[in-house]
Amino acid sequence: MDKIIKLRVKKEIDRVNELKVLKLKGTLITKGYTEIIHIEDENKDFYLNTFATSPEQKKDAENYVLEFISTNNLNDTISLISTPKK
């Protein structure tokens, strides 16, 4: 069964950070963590981006996202939302 990863992405961001967010999403796909990322409004300030990945890749995908956020100084733009373990 696939595992879901959720990202909270700020709606109002500058062009530089917007390109970084797009790069993150693109690399999640090209690295094979997912094939599609679903985007929906969470509220007036944030989007909720979700994608499914295999159980074997979930931790690697989460680590990649966290490292990307830190390396690209996106701490105020993107956050990884923890999902409860089942």
Side-chain angles (χ1 to χ4, degrees):
M1 181 176 186
D2 287 345
K3 300 295 181 182
I4 302 296
I5 295 178
K6 297 180 182 181
L7 304 173
R8 179 175 288 129
V9 181
K10 192 173 182 180
K11 286 185 177 181
E12 299 295 324
I13 57 177
D14 61 35
R15 182 71 179 146
V16 172
N17 284 338
E18 183 179 356
L19 291 173
K20 291 177 184 178
V21 170
L22 290 173
K23 181 178 180 180
L24 170 61
K25 293 178 188 181
T27 55
L28 288 169
I29 293 168
T30 59
K31 287 182 174 285
Y33 292 124
T34 191
E35 292 180 7
I36 189 166
I37 298 173
H38 303 277
I39 303 168
E40 62 184 85
D41 285 334
E42 182 179 35
N43 56 41
K44 69 179 183 119
D45 297 317
F46 294 95
Y47 295 112
L48 188 61
N49 291 229
T50 59
F51 65 94
T53 193
S54 69
E56 298 81 22
Q57 290 184 305
K58 184 173 191 275
K59 193 64 178 165
D60 286 341
E62 289 175 336
N63 288 339
Y64 178 79
V65 168
L66 292 172
E67 184 177 322
F68 190 94
I69 290 169
S70 177
T71 301
N72 289 279
N73 197 26
L74 293 171
N75 294 317
D76 293 336
T77 305
I78 304 174
S79 57
L80 181 65
I81 300 174
S82 298
T83 52
K85 300 203 185 245
K86 292 184 178 182

